[in-house]
Structures are given as structure tokens and as C-alpha cells.
């Protein structure tokens, strides 16, 4: 496998970063996860915008323009013959001292990995997921803003530990006020009649690109799409609940905290939106040969 590392494609064994890199020492950096479908890098422009925005918020100079990032991404896919897969962009603060000061790190490290994708099982999509609410609350925006896709994912990992220990794959995270934020690695939606609801990002979620595109296809399908403050009441009493994310796409939640959602099976709206999203992801993006 060839890894893009600071302007060069290098062998996997040579793709190494220093133990003094602040990405490792402090989780100081940003990242993106992007899918490739039949030679189309889905929503690459949106992913690179979010990467640059995340970097801006933490005052990290990536040292590359959006166009350069897009070109480097295509080059990495081509070098690895990846036509279907999963991309990981990682930008670390770079090598510094053992102190916190990020301004002593002179050069950000830009890494692009083009790999296969680890998917949930087909069975999980057919039957739907069981999810619990984690006791770990989502980071407060005033502390570490969840809108920044940073390398510091301990908040999500603490929640994921609870999920795995409870025997499920995902968990719901609430914010400090008890309102629904998102799942540990996905956004959350509820369907009630013709209404599609999801919490606004300020409730403590990442502004997921899948979330954005699912809202788009739902509007096109004539649904009433609202970003609204939500409690678990709206999820427990919904007709359907689903999660969205680049890797998961759209996946039904059929049980939340032992409350069956709707019929307890993936519902028709979830299935329809999953299909429409997949169609869009296959065409909207950057295509390469
Ligand atoms: N929330 C979190 C915490 C995430 O890490 C992700 C990405 N896996 C998402 C939501 C979904 O975002 P996207 O649709 O852009 O992949």
C-alpha cells in the first residue's frame, strides 16, 4: 500500500511519524473519512472543506489548498488502484517539544490513506441495530467543539466502550443538558409521519456530510425536514430511527434502551432514504480513472 505523506507517495513501512508529533502526544490534529464508490470519491469537496474548517478552528496550517488536497487524494487512490474503499485524511500538528505549545511545531504532517472499508454486517442492515444511551455526555461546544473533527476522539471512545460492554455496536450520546447530540461515530435521525428530525449541530454533534445529504434527499422526496432540539422521548416514540455516517451510510436503529422503535424492523422511510443516499454518493463527488 502506498501512503501519501507530505507530498510524496511512500511505502506503508516508510509511512511513519515521530514520537514527538503532537498528533500522537496530544491528539492535536484533524481528520476526515471519505468513501469511494466505483471511482467516485463521494462528496470530496465537502470533506475537504470540513477538514480545512476543522484545521482553521484549531489554528492549524495544513499548508495545502483545497485543490491541492483534492489532487493528492485522487493521486493516492490511483497509486493504490482503489476504486471502492475508504479514505482517511489525517493532519497532525507535527513534531514539537514535550510541552503543549502548538506554535513550536513547525510543519503539519499531511497523511492520506486509501484502504478497504470495514462495514457493518449485511445482517445488521437487514435487521437493524440495537443501541443504548451512553452515560458519557458529549463534549461541550465551549470546551472541545464536536463540530471540529479532531484527532482527540476520547470522548467518543469512552462512549463506545460503554456500547461494546453492553453488547451493542453503537450508542446515543446526550449533551450536558440531556438533549440528544449524536451517536459515538454517527449522526441520528427520527421519522414521525412525514417529518424527519435531527438535532442541530449546536446540540453537540459533528455536522455530518451524510447527515447533510440525507436531509437533501429527504427534502427532494417531499419530507418535512427539521433540525430541532430533541430528547430521548422523540426517539423512543418515533416511527423510525436511523444513524448516518460515511462508513455506515444509513442504518436503522430498531431498539433504543430496550424500547422497540416502531415495528422493531427497519422501516420504509429508512430504506428509501438509504437507497436515495447511495445513489447520490455514487455520482456526487470527484470521479477519476
Ligand atoms: N459524528 C461523529 C462523531 C463522527 O465521527 C462521524 C463520522 N464518522 C459522523 C458523526 C458522521 O459524519 P459523516 O457523515 O460526515 O461521516
Amino acid at each position: 500500500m502506498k501512503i501519501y505523506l507530505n507530498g510524496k507517495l511512500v511505502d506503508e513501512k516508510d509511512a511513519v511519524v515521530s514520537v514527538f508529533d503532537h498528533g500522537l502526544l496530544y491528539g492535536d490534529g484533524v481528520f476526515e473519512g471519505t468513501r469511494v464508490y466505483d471511482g467516485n470519491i463521494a462528496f470530496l469537496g465537502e470533506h475537504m472543506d470540513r477538514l480545512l474548517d476543522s484545521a482553521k478552528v484549531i489554528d492549524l496550517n495544513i499548508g495545502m489548498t483545497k485543490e491541492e488536497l483534492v489532487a493528492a487524494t485522487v493521486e493516492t487512490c490511483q497509486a493504490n488502484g482503489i476504486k471502492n474503499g475508504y479514505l482517511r485524511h489525517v493532519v497532525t500538528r507535527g513534531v514539537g517539544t514535550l510541552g503543549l505549545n502548538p506554535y513550536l511545531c513547525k510543519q503539519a504532517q499531511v497523511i492520506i490513506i486509501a484502504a478497504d472499508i470495514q462495514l457493518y454486517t449485511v445482517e445488521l442492515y437487514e435487521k437493524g441495530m440495537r443501541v443504548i444511551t451512553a452515560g458519557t455526555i458529549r463534549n461541550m461546544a465551549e470546551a472541545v467543539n464536536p463540530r471540529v473533527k479532531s484527532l482527540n476522539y476520547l470522548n467518543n471512545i469512552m462512549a463506545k466502550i460503554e456500547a461494546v460492554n453492553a453488547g451493542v455496536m453503537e450508542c446515543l450520546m446526550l449533551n450536558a443538558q440531556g438533549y440528544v447530540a449524536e451517536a459515538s461515530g454517527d449522526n441520528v435521525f427520527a421519522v414521525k409521519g412525514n417529518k424527519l428530525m435531527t438535532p442541530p449541530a449546536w446540540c453537540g454533534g459533528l455536522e455530518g456530510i451524510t447527515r447533510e445529504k440525507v436531509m437533501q434527499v429527504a427534502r427532494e422526496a417531499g419530507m418535512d425536514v427539521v433540525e430541532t432540539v430533541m430528547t430521548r422521548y422523540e426517539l423512543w416514540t418515533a416511527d423510525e430511527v436511523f444513524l448516518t455516517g460515511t462508513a455506515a451510510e444509513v442504518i436503522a436503529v430498531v431498539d433504543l434502551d430496550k424500547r422497540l422503535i416502531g415495528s422493531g424492523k427497519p422501516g420504509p422511510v429508512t430504506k428509501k432514504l438509504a437507497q436515495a443516499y447511495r445513489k447520490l454518493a455514487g455520482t456526487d463527488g470527484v470521479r477519476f480513472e
Side-chain angles (χ1 to χ4, degrees):
M1 189 191 285
K2 293 278 186 198
I3 311 288
Y4 178 95
L5 181 64
N6 304 324
K8 293 200 189 81
L9 284 160
V10 300
D11 280 335
E12 193 178 328
K13 63 173 178 13
D14 301 320
V16 290
V17 292
S18 163
V19 292
F20 290 98
D21 192 305
H22 279 209
L24 173 69
L25 289 174
Y26 297 117
D28 185 355
V30 294
F31 76 103
E32 274 300 320
T34 307
R35 284 279 288 270
V36 190
Y37 296 90
D38 284 328
N40 181 56
I41 310 174
F43 321 122
L44 182 59
E46 289 87 334
H47 281 280
M48 294 304 96
D49 282 339
R50 188 170 65 185
L51 186 74
L52 288 161
D53 284 348
S54 292
K56 187 166 206 176
V57 174
I58 69 164
D59 202 15
L60 169 64
N61 181 7
I62 294 184
M64 288 173 81
T65 62
K66 179 178 175 182
E67 290 67 34
E68 287 167 343
L69 284 164
V70 167
T73 307
V74 169
E75 202 189 330
T76 309
C77 289
Q78 286 170 331
N80 288 285
I82 290 283
K83 286 268 172 163
N84 284 283
Y86 183 77
L87 311 179
R88 175 58 53 91
H89 293 74
V90 183
V91 186
T92 74
R93 186 75 69 176
V95 173
T97 66
L98 289 180
L100 286 181
N101 191 347
Y103 299 112
L104 298 178
C105 306
K106 294 299 173 217
Q107 182 72 54
Q109 305 286 301
V110 182
I111 300 160
I112 309 173
I113 306 167
D116 293 333
I117 179 146
Q118 307 291 315
L119 289 171
Y120 286 138
T121 60
V122 174
E123 195 190 0
L124 210 53
Y125 284 92
E126 280 169 0
K127 293 197 172 152
M129 291 184 118
R130 285 194 304 123
V131 170
I132 57 145
T133 303
T136 304
I137 60 163
R138 192 74 178 96
N139 278 338
M140 286 160 66
E142 297 79 1
V144 180
N145 197 324
R147 289 171 77 178
V148 175
K149 201 163 168 65
S150 86
L151 290 181
N152 199 315
Y153 250 49
L154 260 190
N155 181 223
N156 314 62
I157 290 166
M158 293 294 283
K160 183 84 174 186
I161 286 170
E162 294 184 54
V164 174
N165 286 336
V168 296
M169 309 284 287
E170 248 299 9
C171 55
L172 183 72
M173 296 184 79
L174 307 178
N175 65 21
Q177 288 73 44
Y179 296 118
V180 173
E182 61 176 342
S184 73
D186 292 306
N187 292 111
V188 63
F189 284 85
V191 177
K192 191 82 174 173
N194 192 43
K195 194 160 150 191
L196 182 65
M197 291 172 273
T198 193
W202 60 261
C203 280
L206 181 75
E207 272 177 309
I209 288 158
T210 318
R211 169 184 179 276
E212 212 50 55
K213 300 295 172 181
V214 164
M215 289 198 284
Q216 179 189 323
V217 295
R219 278 193 202 101
E220 285 164 9
M223 289 190 81
D224 175 20
V225 179
V226 287
E227 291 182 60
T228 179
V229 174
M230 292 168 73
T231 66
R232 286 193 293 174
Y233 182 95
E234 279 78 40
L235 295 176
W236 287 334
T237 60
D239 300 334
E240 300 179 31
V241 170
F242 61 81
L243 305 179
T244 63
T246 296
E249 299 178 327
V250 175
I251 189 160
V253 174
V254 293
D255 180 318
L256 173 62
D257 304 316
K258 284 274 173 69
R259 276 71 158 184
L260 270 198
I261 308 298
S263 65
K265 294 197 181 104
V269 177
T270 305
K271 286 184 190 163
K272 194 171 83 177
L273 293 177
Q275 248 182 15
Y277 169 76
R278 173 56 91 84
K279 199 168 157 209
L280 190 63
T283 53
D284 185 342
V286 174
R287 186 160 282 289
F288 64 95
E289 283 308 316

